[in-house]
Amino acid sequence: MTSCKTCAKTPTDWDQAFAAVDYGYPWDRLIADFKFRGNPAWARYFAAVMRSAPWVEPALEAADWVVPMPLSRERLRDRGFNQSSLLAKQLYPAKVQETSLLRVIHTPAQSGLPRQQRLHNLQHAFAMEPLNAAAIEGKRVILVDDVMTSGATLGAASQVLRRAGAKHISAMVFARTVTGD
């Protein structure tokens, strides 16, 4: 596995990350269609591409839980679906755990914000559901999102999972922005 220079210099709150494609043409347009134009049918195809990426199948098999990145109530209401949840359900439906990690603060969209603002934007945005938090303790967790740009969202959610006792966290995304590093 390779990592970008920024990732190599800055420790992450996850143990490993998987990305199926670079966030560029044609994937950026297809993701926009999936996420912003109400076309959730893309989840099945994106998940198939994700599963074909190196080391993804063994990671899915080894995981106890596949946890989709939660959306705030406001964003879920506006969009009508959680794209990360749809991806997770296509990746490994029997292992999807949607009731422990919560998005408790509605924040401005991360896209377009510089890295430092992205990090600040997500402070306290995630929490564990107290009645379901024990499901994470000592477990191998795959945290699923559609796109990783700076890693700030995955990092903030991973911190919460780590504090809840997750023993291993893999970040798994469909697309990763190319940073040029």
Side-chain angles (χ1 to χ4, degrees):
M1 280 187 260
T2 61
S3 57
C4 68
K5 289 179 187 175
T6 303
C7 297
K9 289 181 203 171
T10 308
T12 62
D13 292 292
W14 58 82
D15 299 292
Q16 58 187 0
F18 303 96
V21 299
D22 289 337
Y23 186 73
Y25 182 82
W27 305 113
D28 55 345
R29 293 180 185 172
L30 296 174
I31 291 166
D33 188 49
F34 170 50
K35 195 167 163 177
F36 302 118
R37 294 186 192 97
N39 197 345
W42 278 112
R44 183 175 65 175
Y45 303 106
F46 289 169
V49 173
M50 290 169 77
R51 279 185 160 278
S52 69
W55 304 290
V56 166
E57 284 291 336
L60 287 167
E61 289 300 322
D64 295 299
W65 296 118
V66 176
V67 176
M69 185 65 66
L71 293 179
S72 67
R73 278 192 309 269
E74 295 86 352
R75 189 135 307 124
L76 184 58
R77 184 187 62 237
D78 292 346
R79 191 167 293 154
F81 62 93
N82 177 340
Q83 71 281 358
S84 299
S85 176
L86 295 177
L87 288 171
K89 288 174 182 174
Q90 292 293 324
L91 287 167
Y92 211 122
K95 292 185 178 185
V96 173
Q97 215 302 346
E98 293 186 275
T99 58
S100 292
L101 183 64
L102 306 173
R103 180 77 178 242
V104 294
I105 297 176
H106 177 69
T107 59
Q110 292 288 92
S111 58
L113 296 177
R115 180 172 173 72
Q116 283 305 91
Q117 251 184 300
R118 286 173 186 249
L119 296 171
H120 178 71
N121 190 33
L122 293 166
Q123 286 182 344
H124 312 294
F126 299 100
M128 293 304 293
E129 163 55 58
L131 298 175
N132 297 326
I136 299 299
E137 189 173 353
K139 303 296 185 197
R140 297 179 67 81
V141 176
I142 293 180
L143 181 59
V144 176
D145 207 356
D146 57 338
V147 177
M148 181 194 308
T149 304
S150 67
T153 304
L154 288 159
S158 292
Q159 286 175 3
V160 171
L161 291 168
R162 190 70 74 196
R163 283 195 302 270
K167 97 174 157 186
H168 188 274
I169 301 169
S170 298
M172 189 174 289
V173 298
F174 175 67
R176 170 75 165 104
T177 59
V178 180
T179 62
D181 296 74

